[in-house]
Amino acid sequence: MNHIEKLGWDSSIQHEDNNKLARVIAVQKNSYRISDGEMEYFSHLSGKFMNQAYSSLDFPAVGDWVEVQKLADEQKAVINRILPRKSKFVRQAAGTKTEAQIVAANMDTVFIVNSLNHDLNVRRIERYILSTYESGASPVIVLTKKDESTPEDIIRITAEVEEAAIGVPIVCISSITGEGIEELLTYLPDRKTAALLGSSGVGKSTLVNALLGEKVQETKDIREADSKGRHTTTHREMFTLPNGALLIDTPGMRELQLWDGDGAIDTTFQDVEALADECRFSDCQHDTEPGCRVQEAMDSDELSEERFESYLKLQRELAYEKRKQDQKVRLEEKNKWKKISKDMKNRYKAR
């Protein structure tokens, strides 16, 4: 195995010169730490890269494969381009600005981490599942702090999550006692990449430390009153586990605003979609129409009203985000042509 393969490189990614390859293992603001499997480098983007970058999606994220020019003596490198991504977890960036943010790239699995306490939110889990399917990776639900929960609570909470996570594996663990860790490692094989995603205080950093067998991430206790905590991870970083798997840790997200998900909503809500297909009318609005299978399922408790409302809410949110993105693209295109026109006029005057 060559050095680059230790970082998850496989033959499906085409590149003519492995000596120019590296993987982004940490991003902190505009600073990038990369590795070629043998040495780590602090890197910056080339001038050409900066000139050609059109949006936030064009910049490197943790997990990206990049083509670089190495300055080995100084342990520095210049990033010239990003190789095509096989998967990317994207969310709407925090704030009011319409902008995408890549949380992690080229992961095989996304661990959606929640704790087994009263901060668990099934509707939030649905959002993560939707975004994970849209990313191109496979979701796994990880329920932490098993040592703090009663067997009855674990059974009840797992059943609630199963309703929202149809067909998605669920693993209950304790990073303190080690219970469930071996089962979790079956989803972390050698040279495969997983990303840890979830809210603040759910135990992601503690889990990273447990999987690595050493304390590499700072942890803080959650508030007992509401089971919430402050995030201790301040940047995204990829670690190599003792079994050869790659794990991307990320700061806790207070909320997950969707960026895209049209192509994954049918998979996330396959139970609702299946019921809708059985409605008498193909254009059924699932309200007062006769022969509505969805309403029938809610009346008989086959489908919960909360899950159906979540399905409708996420559809509305995706449609709204799509309109905002389309508006932004039109404005950027208009500004681009205004700039081109102005540059041409200036050149003409200079003659």
Side-chain angles (χ1 to χ4, degrees):
M1 184 194 305
N2 62 38
H3 297 296
I4 205 75
E5 288 177 340
K6 293 178 184 176
L7 295 170
W9 179 267
D10 63 65
S11 56
S12 67
I13 313 168
Q14 299 296 320
H15 195 270
E16 59 279 358
D17 188 355
N18 282 9
N19 292 320
K20 291 183 178 180
L21 288 175
R23 197 170 190 192
V24 179
I25 59 173
V27 175
Q28 198 164 12
K29 294 186 178 178
N30 297 322
S31 173
Y32 303 95
R33 186 151 51 89
I34 63 173
S35 173
D36 61 5
E38 189 173 22
M39 184 184 292
E40 292 185 8
Y41 303 81
F42 288 97
S43 61
H44 66 272
L45 305 175
S46 69
K48 183 179 179 182
F49 188 113
M50 293 292 289
N51 288 332
Q52 292 180 344
Y54 179 66
S55 74
S56 56
L57 296 175
D58 297 329
F59 287 87
V62 174
D64 267 327
W65 290 101
V66 289
E67 184 183 284
V68 299
Q69 180 182 347
K70 300 173 188 174
L71 306 170
D73 294 341
E74 302 176 39
Q75 276 193 269
K76 293 181 180 178
V78 179
I79 297 175
N80 291 319
R81 73 181 180 100
I82 300 172
L83 273 63
R85 296 162 173 141
K86 70 176 181 180
S87 62
K88 58 180 185 291
F89 192 100
V90 183
R91 70 164 183 165
Q92 158 68 33
T96 56
K97 193 176 180 182
T98 302
E99 188 171 49
Q101 180 185 57
I102 298 184
V103 179
N106 294 315
M107 60 280 166
D108 303 283
T109 305
V110 168
F111 290 140
I112 302 168
V113 187
N114 283 259
S115 55
L116 285 158
N117 58 32
H118 53 264
D119 186 44
L120 185 135
N121 186 316
V122 173
R123 306 284 78 89
R124 186 167 58 214
I125 289 174
E126 288 170 339
R127 287 174 168 270
Y128 277 96
I129 293 172
L130 177 63
S131 294
T132 300
Y133 280 133
E134 190 68 30
S135 78
S138 300
V140 174
I141 308 294
V142 182
L143 300 178
T144 63
K145 306 184 182 180
K146 189 176 182 180
D147 55 298
E148 300 175 16
S149 306
T150 65
E152 293 77 18
D153 282 342
I154 292 169
I155 292 170
R156 176 182 56 80
I157 291 170
T158 302
E160 288 177 16
V161 174
E162 281 176 344
E163 183 187 348
I166 298 170
V168 178
I170 301 172
V171 183
C172 296
I173 68 159
S174 167
S175 298
I176 305 302
T177 67
E179 192 176 356
I181 295 295
E182 283 300 317
E183 183 184 354
L184 188 64
L185 284 170
T186 63
Y187 299 99
L188 272 168
D190 179 31
R191 289 183 283 164
K192 296 296 183 180
T193 304
L196 287 177
L197 298 178
S199 303
S200 305
V202 296
K204 297 192 302 299
S205 297
T206 308
L207 176 55
V208 171
N209 293 339
L211 289 169
L212 282 166
E214 59 179 311
K215 187 174 181 179
V216 295
Q217 297 291 70
E218 287 296 321
T219 61
K220 289 180 183 173
D221 292 332
I222 60 172
R223 300 193 299 262
E224 289 185 10
D226 56 8
S227 298
K228 293 182 179 179
R230 292 170 292 171
H231 61 74
T232 49
T233 302
T234 58
H235 62 281
R236 300 172 184 87
E237 185 169 0
M238 185 167 71
F239 300 94
T240 302
L241 301 185
N243 71 344
L246 293 309
L247 185 66
I248 298 173
D249 190 19
T250 65
M253 289 187 270
R254 289 184 176 85
E255 60 177 332
L256 174 62
Q257 288 184 277
L258 301 178
W259 178 257
D260 202 358
D262 289 345
I265 199 159
D266 56 340
T267 306
T268 307
F269 291 91
Q270 53 191 278
D271 53 337
V272 181
E273 295 271 335
L275 289 168
D277 286 342
E278 295 177 16
C279 288
R280 183 184 300 175
F281 302 109
S282 59
D283 59 349
C284 183
Q285 299 300 302
H286 317 304
D287 189 9
T288 58
E289 293 86 350
C292 176
R293 182 70 179 85
V294 173
Q295 284 293 334
E296 181 186 306
M298 285 192 287
D299 290 341
S300 64
D301 292 330
E302 182 184 348
L303 174 69
S304 71
E305 287 188 27
E306 292 82 6
R307 180 154 172 83
F308 181 60
E309 284 300 321
S310 176
Y311 169 73
L312 296 179
K313 180 183 177 183
L314 292 177
Q315 281 189 322
R316 289 194 297 268
E317 188 174 329
L318 287 168
Y320 175 66
E321 289 299 331
K322 186 70 174 173
R323 287 196 299 272
K324 283 203 304 180
Q325 291 166 29
D326 289 345
Q327 188 177 14
K328 183 189 178 191
V329 168
R330 287 195 298 271
L331 185 61
E332 287 175 343
E333 191 71 13
K334 182 180 177 181
N335 290 337
K336 183 179 80 173
W337 285 107
K338 280 173 72 174
K339 184 177 182 300
I340 291 171
S341 178
K342 185 178 178 181
D343 290 345
M344 289 177 68
K345 286 178 182 177
N346 289 339
R347 282 199 210 102
Y348 182 76
K349 287 177 183 177
R351 285 180 182 175

